[in-house]
Amino acid sequence: MSQKTITRADLADAIFENLGLSRNDSSDLVENIIDEMSDALVRDESVKISSFGSFSARQKAERIGRNPKTGEEVPITPRKVLVFRASHVLKNRINDSV
Amino acid sequence: MTKSELISRIAELNPHLYLRDIEKIVETFFEEITKALANGDRVELRGFGAFSVKERDARIGRNPRTGEKVEVDAKRLPFFKTGKALRDRLNEE
C-alpha cells in the first residue's frame, strides 16, 4: 500500500463535495475547526470528540536531561505536552481494514 | 470542549450556515481523517499536528496474573504528534 499524506486541502475538498459549499467556505470551515480546537487546548480545556478521540494538555515537571553527544547535564524546563487518546471506534476502524 | 460544543462554536462563527450543515461539516472533518488512517495514510494539519498509524507485530504476551502465554495479534495503532505552532502556543505564558 503506498502511503499518501492528507492535508487541509483534502479535508476542504471532502466538505466541498459532501455539502456543496464553495471551496472558499469549505477551507474556511476546516480552519475554523482547527482553530477552535487549538484555542480550547491553549485555554487548558480538553477536547473530546466522540467516536474519534480526545486531546488534552499534560504538564511535565522539570527534569535533568543529558546531551547525548557530550554527556553534559542540562535541565529540561517544565512544559506542557499534548496527549491524544484514540477512541475505541477509531482503533477498531483502523484495524478492520487489515 | 465536546464535539457538540465545537459544533456550536463553528455555528456562531458561521451564522449564514444551517446548524445541520455545520454538524455534517464537523462529521466530515473527523470522518475523512478516520478514513485516511484506516487506509494507512498520514494526515498532516500543519501547525496543529499530524496523525499516523503505527504497526505492531504479533507477539506472545503473558497474562500477568497467571503467567500464561497468550498470542497477541498484529495490530495498527493511531498516533498523534503535536505540531510546532500549537506546541509553542501551549508553552508561552
Side-chain angles (χ1 to χ4, degrees):
Chain A
M1 175 169 20
S2 69
Q3 204 197 35
K4 278 191 303 181
T5 298
I6 273 61
T7 62
R8 281 171 167 76
D10 299 298
L11 301 181
D13 271 356
I15 291 171
F16 166 78
E17 280 163 22
N18 284 0
L19 285 114
L21 298 183
S22 73
R23 283 195 188 270
N24 265 339
D25 272 1
S26 302
S27 49
D28 286 351
L29 280 149
V30 167
E31 222 48 56
N32 284 167
I33 296 171
I34 295 171
D35 286 349
E36 288 305 316
M37 291 199 293
S38 305
D39 290 352
L41 291 164
V42 170
R43 289 193 302 267
D44 239 344
E45 276 180 49
S46 60
V47 175
K48 291 184 176 151
I49 307 296
S50 63
S51 74
F52 184 75
S54 63
F55 302 87
S56 54
R58 182 183 290 169
Q59 181 69 49
K60 294 273 210 175
E62 185 181 66
R63 63 194 168 91
I64 302 298
R66 217 176 256 284
N67 179 329
K69 206 170 283 180
T70 62
E72 188 191 358
E73 287 191 350
V74 251
I76 298 176
T77 53
R79 64 190 64 203
K80 276 189 202 157
V81 294
L82 252 199
V83 185
F84 173 66
R85 287 204 50 187
S87 78
H88 282 285
V89 180
L90 177 60
K91 287 184 185 169
N92 290 340
R93 289 271 309 267
I94 290 176
N95 280 289
D96 277 352
S97 51
V98 175
Chain B
M1 170 184 273
T2 61
K3 182 155 67 183
S4 52
E5 286 163 358
L6 175 62
I7 290 168
S8 314
R9 277 295 296 152
I10 306 296
E12 281 171 35
L13 294 171
N14 295 278
H16 60 297
L17 297 177
Y18 290 114
L19 185 61
R20 62 164 189 275
D21 285 343
I22 307 272
E23 286 167 355
K24 275 191 217 157
I25 288 161
V26 171
E27 288 303 332
T28 301
F29 180 93
F30 293 106
E31 176 60 23
E32 285 303 306
I33 297 176
T34 303
K35 272 200 265 177
L37 295 175
N39 276 334
D41 293 334
R42 237 172 77 81
V43 180
E44 183 174 322
L45 304 173
R46 194 63 64 91
F48 180 75
F51 298 90
S52 58
V53 175
K54 298 210 164 171
E55 310 261 352
R56 293 279 178 266
D57 289 338
R59 62 189 169 87
I60 306 291
R62 259 173 208 282
N63 180 328
R65 191 170 306 182
T66 62
E68 191 188 354
K69 286 184 177 174
V70 257
E71 283 180 29
V72 181
D73 291 338
K75 62 185 164 201
R76 295 156 77 189
L77 290 174
F79 184 78
F80 177 76
K81 183 171 189 290
T82 312
K84 185 173 186 314
L86 180 53
R87 196 168 59 228
D88 289 348
R89 276 188 71 197
L90 283 172
N91 285 294
E92 72 193 13
E93 283 320 310

